[in-house]
Amino acid sequence: MAQIALIAPASVIAIAGRGKQLVSYRRKKVGLASVVGCCRMGGDRKTRVVVKASEGGAISLPRAWSPHKGSEDQTGGTKMKGSNRLFTVGLVAAWYSSNIGVLLLNKYLLSNYGFKYPIFLTMCHMTACSLLSYVAIAWMKVVPLQTIRSRVQFFKISALSLVFCVSVVFGNISLRYLPVSFNQAIGATTPFFTAVFAYLMTFKREAWLTYLTLVPVVTGVIIASGGEPSFHLFGFIICVAATGARALKSVLQGILLSSEGEKLNSMNLLLYMAPMAVVFLLPATLIMEENVVGITLALARDDSKIIWYLLFNSSLAYFVNLTNFLVTKHTSALTLQVLGNAKGAVAVVVSILIFRNPVSVTGMMGYSLTVFGVILYSEAKKRSK
């Protein structure tokens, strides 16, 4: 314990500790209460008087007490909180930018630019995810490497990869026929399909209130479909299928990789799923999009920007997964839900400003109702846990 010596005739109050350090304060009518108050600034309110100061005694203090420690800790804590907050805001901005960027660039390439090869585009995404995932995990050590422990686990991840491929390819195909705003409205119904698949595959029942909140989710899409000026039936069906596949993948992941030995974080799961997706997509590309490589090279001779578009778009596809992982790690589940709902709305507004696609009041009301239903669903799920 450090001690403050309060000798009455002295002109200096000395604070000495075990580290043989001495801090002095000039005494100008300083009473015992003042010194005790000063001691309490250090954060220890259990300071006790050992011997009265008038008797030449001392006040016992904690060992690591410093007269300026409280203010220093406060300043350091404030700076740390500020830097953490800035880091989180930066992560969210990067997450929004990569998500919305890859969505808008997909739309531009497949619809406006005229690059009508969604399977090949998805294969480029998965190739970039394979390479960049390996760099991030094996070289940069962003997360610890988790290995596949059995053949059964390998086949489970392969099944997930196949469903993942279907959801991404169908989503890209739908962008050829539908505006981003309507695509996002349909995509917002993912909780509905998740609840349906969870019930059909695991017989897991939610509270009745949770199912009730899905009514505005579906109703909103029906209203948005009726009021969508650019409605395309084939694009609508494909987009619904993509949304259903996305929900099926999340339910399957919960079932197949449920044991502690088989669980993988999202970055390691992407490391294994992406190469498998390339293996699935390569024959599909060669069969369904014949001579796509030759056509792409011919396009590049006329306009070299297509190569840069594909490289940038593929890299963004990886950063969508990376930033999603980091935002999940550095924020709460509730914050992530709120940010996810807001992201869809931001994507809709940005896409309308860029592509100038016509929208109707009915369509926007339907989309708003769907988003409201998703928020209610998230709240109901949180309360039922």
Side-chain angles (χ1 to χ4, degrees), residues 209-210 213 334 337-338 341 372-385:
L209 186 61
T210 304
T213 59
L334 178 60
Q337 287 174 354
V338 173
N341 294 331
F372 178 67
V374 171
I375 294 170
L376 290 178
Y377 173 80
S378 301
E379 186 64 26
K381 284 277 289 182
K382 187 180 73 172
R383 292 189 177 188
S384 65
K385 286 181 179 178

Side-chain angles (χ1 to χ4, degrees), residues 318-353:
Y318 169 73
F319 282 106
V320 168
N321 293 280
L322 176 62
T323 54
N324 184 73
F325 171 77
L326 292 173
V327 169
T328 305
K329 183 179 178 181
H330 290 277
T331 61
S332 65
L334 178 60
T335 304
L336 194 66
Q337 287 174 354
V338 173
L339 290 172
N341 294 331
K343 177 171 61 67
V346 172
V348 168
V349 173
V350 173
S351 69
I352 292 171
L353 293 174

Side-chain angles (χ1 to χ4, degrees), residues 232-271:
H232 191 285
L233 182 59
F234 177 72
F236 174 77
I237 293 170
I238 290 294
C239 193
V240 170
T243 307
R246 198 178 305 127
L248 177 61
K249 184 247 175 188
S250 66
V251 174
L252 274 176
Q253 186 172 331
I255 297 170
L256 298 179
L257 302 179
S258 57
S259 66
E260 286 300 322
E262 292 181 332
K263 282 183 180 178
L264 299 172
N265 62 48
S266 60
M267 295 304 296
N268 276 276
L269 186 60
L270 182 67
L271 174 67

